[in-house]
Structure formats: structure tokens, C-alpha cells
Amino acid sequence: MTTSQAAITLLGSNIGAQVSGVDLSRELSGAEKAFVHQALIDHHVLFFRDQSLEPVDIKRFAEGFGPLAPHPRGGPDYPEVMPFRSKQEPDFILGTEWHTDGSYSEHPPLGSMLYFREAPEAGAELAYANMHAAFEALSPQMTVYLKALTATHDVSRSRFGSDRQVKTSWSHPLISSHAVTGRPLLYFNSVYTARIDGVPTPESRAIIGFLREHVANPYFSVRIKVEPGSLVLWDNRCTQHLALWNFAPGSLAGLRTQIESVTP
Ligand SMILES: [Fe+2]
């Protein structure tokens, strides 16, 4: 077995850790895999620096967490690994509002991974928020109220949902729990949550407004500065994220991979 030098440095008080001593361009040892998997469960977002990766490396690392989703814009050899490039305006890869990926589907992705080949000289930042912390900051009264409710998440609300052939929406409980740890979490999406089910429209609007403000509390989040060679992996089940588009002029380019849900 390879001797592992893997180590963790916390990036925030309740979310985010940098993993050092791991070279993702080679097959990880069993101990390294276990270390990284546990780190993802513990810290929700993992940041690796100074990696030199090809699509084959990204695919090998990502598929250790679950099945990968082929993408129409993926390369011919590795359709699960999609090149992206964002310039002055963010494209659909890099949402600039708090969101979790694919909440409009019955089984939202387990996680996503971004590898950066290019980044502006001044760097670029991504922000991640811990939805366990968002749940724990609710008042007991609000927790009781939200636990009884579901919300409809609808992709057609977003600017990139309008070109979908089929309207995609799904209803999820507002208070859920993590599939691995069972820890409770707030499941709300500022982009896709269209309405709170079963309550009058003004009440739905008011609750959505409150939750939008609540999840944006900076106490729940961490900002991560990415550079060429950075890889960010996040647990999509208990986090939200956004890109801070504050670095023009410049562009971000790299490879994106999505890890599908492993629960049927
Ligand atoms: Fe996203």
C-alpha cells in the first residue's frame, strides 16, 4: 500500500477543507480513498491544489463516489467529463445565485466536481454554504413549521431551463436528512424553489423570501479561491454554492463532472 501523506486543513468553521498530500493523477490507495471519502462527509466541500489532471484522472477519481452522468457536451472519449469556459458573463456552469444542483429532479446529484485549467490572474472565488448549519440556526418554532412542508423545485424558473423540451420539477421536503449521516438539513434552493406546497400563495412567497435570506447568512459559508490546477469537490446533498463573478477581466476554464445519486 502506498504510504499516504494525506492531510486536512480547515477552510471554514463549519464547511470546507483543503486536502494536501494527495496526487489525483494516479490511482489512490485504499487508505487515501477512505481518507478523502470521510473528509467529504465531515467537511462537505474539499479543495485540492496544484493538481495536473486529464479527463481520465477526473473520471477515475469521481466514479469512486458514485455513477457519473454523461453530458451532451462531454468529450467523445470521456462524455462524463465536460469542458467548460466562462468569460465576462457566467455561463450555466457557474451559477451566481445560491443553489444546489438539480434539485428539480427526483434524485438530485450526490455531488459535483470542478477542475480548473485556467483562472484569472487575480484568482476567482466560489462560495459554499452548509445546509446543516442553516437548519440548526432555525428557531424551534420555524423548524416545527417547515418540517410539515414540501416545496416544488422547477428548472423552468432558471434562465437555462427555458430550452428544456420537457418541464422538469419535483417536490422535496423542506427539512431532510443526509443519506449517509442522517444529520438534518434545510433543503431549499434560491434558484429552483418555485413554491411551498399546500399553503396560500402569499404565505409561500413570504416563506421563500425568508429562506432566501436565511441561507445567504455568511456564517454558514466559506469562500474558496481557485487557481489553475485547483479541484473542488462538493457534497450536493447538504450544501449550496455560487460563483462570485468579481474578477473580470479574465476567464475560467476547466472540466466539470457530476456524480449521480446512489439512492434509488
Ligand atoms: Fe451549480
Side-chain angles (χ1 to χ4, degrees), residues 177-191:
S177 59
H178 194 279
V180 175
T181 64
R183 188 177 170 192
L185 58 95
L186 174 62
Y187 197 72
F188 171 79
N189 193 321
S190 298
V191 174

Side-chain angles (χ1 to χ4, degrees), residues 30-50:
E32 287 173 325
K33 284 179 188 170
F35 182 89
V36 170
H37 283 233
Q38 189 58 48
L40 183 64
I41 292 299
D42 292 342
H43 304 291
H44 320 302
V45 181
L46 299 183
F47 178 48
F48 301 79
R49 298 186 65 177
D50 301 323

Side-chain angles (χ1 to χ4, degrees), residues 6-22 24 35-49 51 61 126 128-130 220-226 230-235 239:
I8 287 288
T9 305
L10 297 184
L11 297 175
S13 57
N14 57 23
I15 184 170
Q18 180 171 326
V19 181
S20 57
V22 172
L24 301 177
F35 182 89
V36 170
H37 283 233
Q38 189 58 48
L40 183 64
I41 292 299
D42 292 342
H43 304 291
H44 320 302
V45 181
L46 299 183
F47 178 48
F48 301 79
R49 298 186 65 177
Q51 302 289 323
F61 180 50
L126 307 178
Y128 292 88
N130 179 336
F220 308 149
S221 66
V222 68
R223 288 163 72 150
I224 296 175
K225 184 174 176 178
V226 296
S230 297
L231 183 142
V232 185
L233 162 67
W234 65 92
D235 186 335
T239 61

Side-chain angles (χ1 to χ4, degrees), residues 81-103:
V81 182
M82 183 181 71
F84 69 87
R85 174 172 293 279
S86 301
K87 293 188 176 176
Q88 300 299 331
E89 294 293 327
D91 73 5
F92 76 97
I93 296 298
L94 297 166
T96 53
E97 289 181 75
W98 285 115
H99 69 284
T100 182
D101 295 337
S103 69

